[in-house]
Amino acid sequence: MKAVILSAFGGPDTLQVQEVDTPRPGPGDVLVRVRAAGICHHDILHRAGKLPGAKTGVVLGHETAGEVIEVGADVITHKVGDAVVIYQRQFCGMCRNCLRGRQDMCRALGLPAVDTVGGYAEYVSVPASMAISVPAGLPWQAAALACCPIGTSLRALRTLANVSPGDSVLITGASGGLGIHQIQIVKALGARSIAVTSSPAKAEHLKALGADEVVVAPDLKFGAEVWRLTGKQGVDVAIDNLGMTLPEVLRTMAQGGIVVVLGNLDGKPVDVSPGLLIGRRIRIAGSGSATLEDIRHALAMLANGQIKPIISATVSFDEASHGHALVDAKAVEGRVVMEGWS
Ligand SMILES: [Zn+2]
Ligand SMILES: [Zn+2]
């Protein structure tokens, strides 16, 4: 089969299409013909050698949707022809976190594309427990986004922050792959979103997607404007997709508010004022990835139209380098998805 191999750490050209052995499904596995795969910022960091534990010689990709074409021995849950999306990381199903439904905190959790085979390939073989059924009729590209950008956002907004009708929700990095879907989730949950972007050119589109307010802050100083927009009440919930913005986010919080940190873009520590946390009773929670349950909900919301997948470009798998270059150049809003081989 054909696969896109990361030949070395570096620029987009390090992604090379090669002929490799087609995987065989072992007992309990399903063999999936990959139909669509999203290009995540995580893949970009891996390619550039900026992730701890990253390796070369691997197939990237953890936003993978496709069709089951063969089932291994002992698989009773799936059949040939099933449409599935693949859970983004391998989980053991046996540790205490898995047993309480927190596959995102599995103790055996490895790095995508290092401890699992990624989706930038014609076929991938995975344990059947990682292959989540996709509702009938949902396009492959939409299904591919259910795990990473949408499931992760749903977990942060609904499961963790319990966003409810009437809440005000701040979203940093709102035009990125996560933020652009979070705006829609906030709307579906009946709350009011305040989207922060550094790019004036992207503000209109964020409004069109349903953002109630858009703050353009190229210098990432948005606190005063958010304070004004909330009538000096602050926001009930903030999703920080960037990380370096956490101190500014904390200044925008209402009493008793919750900040969910999803991003760590420049990887540097930030200053947090304990006095501010105590005075305003602010909770800070880290999150990442999603549980199987979150992903099922994401798929249902995609299928019933509450969330529209935002895909700015589609390239073939052969053009993975080009797809990565588009993301590198920040030329896209939402996801770049690969589909088909030329
Ligand atoms: Zn991802
Ligand atoms: Zn586990």
Side-chain angles (χ1 to χ4, degrees):
M1 69 165 183
K2 283 182 283 189
V4 180
I5 306 286
L6 177 64
S7 60
F9 292 132
D13 291 346
T14 58
L15 295 170
Q16 293 173 359
V17 177
Q18 293 179 18
E19 197 66 36
V20 299
D21 290 340
T22 302
R24 299 291 313 145
D29 294 342
V30 292
L31 182 64
V32 174
R33 181 199 304 274
V34 178
R35 296 302 198 114
I39 298 177
C40 183
H41 191 70
H42 194 272
D43 302 345
I44 304 287
L45 292 174
H46 188 150
R47 192 205 72 216
K50 290 181 181 165
L51 280 186
K55 284 186 188 161
T56 59
V58 299
V59 177
L60 298 179
H62 58 269
E63 302 183 358
T64 313
E67 179 186 359
V68 174
I69 57 162
E70 193 179 339
V71 295
D74 306 327
V75 173
I76 54 169
T77 47
H78 295 68
K79 61 182 190 318
V80 170
D82 283 355
V84 294
V85 59
I86 298 172
Y87 188 76
Q88 57 265 61
R89 292 188 175 194
Q90 192 137 15
F91 58 89
C92 73
M94 293 179 278
C95 71
R96 61 195 284 248
N97 290 328
C98 280
L99 288 176
R100 55 186 183 198
R102 292 298 305 270
Q103 297 85 10
D104 65 307
M105 299 198 305
C106 173
R107 293 178 165 201
L109 210 60
L111 264 186
V114 173
D115 299 290
T116 55
V117 180
Y120 291 17
E122 281 188 283
Y123 305 97
V124 61
S125 178
V126 294
S129 57
M130 287 175 67
I132 306 160
S133 290
V134 170
L138 190 67
W140 295 115
Q141 294 196 347
L145 302 193
C147 288
C148 193
I150 301 173
T152 301
S153 295
L154 208 49
R155 167 145 213 96
L157 284 162
R158 206 203 40 185
T159 315
L160 210 49
N162 188 28
V163 168
S164 305
D167 284 349
S168 53
V169 183
L170 178 73
I171 298 168
T172 64
S175 51
L178 287 164
I180 215 158
H181 294 103
Q182 289 159 0
I183 289 168
Q184 302 179 63
I185 295 170
V186 169
K187 188 153 222 75
L189 295 174
R192 172 193 186 215
S193 62
I194 302 177
V196 178
T197 178
S198 57
S199 162
K202 291 176 176 169
E204 271 316 301
H205 190 216
L206 296 178
K207 281 256 180 186
L209 282 173
D212 294 289
E213 308 284 353
V214 178
V215 178
V216 179
D219 58 358
L220 297 176
K221 294 284 176 223
F222 47 81
E225 179 63 3
V226 174
W227 204 243
R228 189 188 69 77
L229 287 169
T230 56
K232 300 186 180 176
Q233 296 294 307
V235 293
D236 303 299
V237 174
I239 305 294
D240 192 1
N241 294 306
L242 304 177
M244 66 281 203
T245 35
L246 183 58
E248 188 75 4
V249 167
L250 289 172
R251 284 193 275 275
T252 72
M253 297 307 297
Q255 291 277 330
I258 177 167
V259 182
V260 184
V261 182
L262 282 180
N264 182 24
L265 248 51
D266 68 6
K268 297 196 184 105
V270 296
D271 286 327
V272 169
S273 157
L276 183 62
L277 301 187
I278 296 165
R280 291 204 209 152
R281 314 291 197 270
I282 298 169
R283 293 163 291 158
I284 304 178
S287 191
S289 170
T291 64
L292 291 173
E293 182 81 344
D294 295 318
I295 293 165
R296 284 191 196 101
H297 292 165
L299 287 163
M301 290 176 82
L302 282 162
N304 69 21
Q306 283 179 293
I307 306 172
K308 183 168 149 267
I310 307 301
I311 295 160
S312 51
T314 303
V315 300
S316 72
F317 283 92
D318 312 78
E319 298 172 314
S321 295
H322 175 56
H324 270 237
L326 289 175
V327 181
D328 275 4
K330 297 190 165 60
V332 292
E333 206 171 19
R335 270 291 188 270
V336 176
V337 177
M338 294 181 289
E339 197 171 50
W341 296 80
S342 54

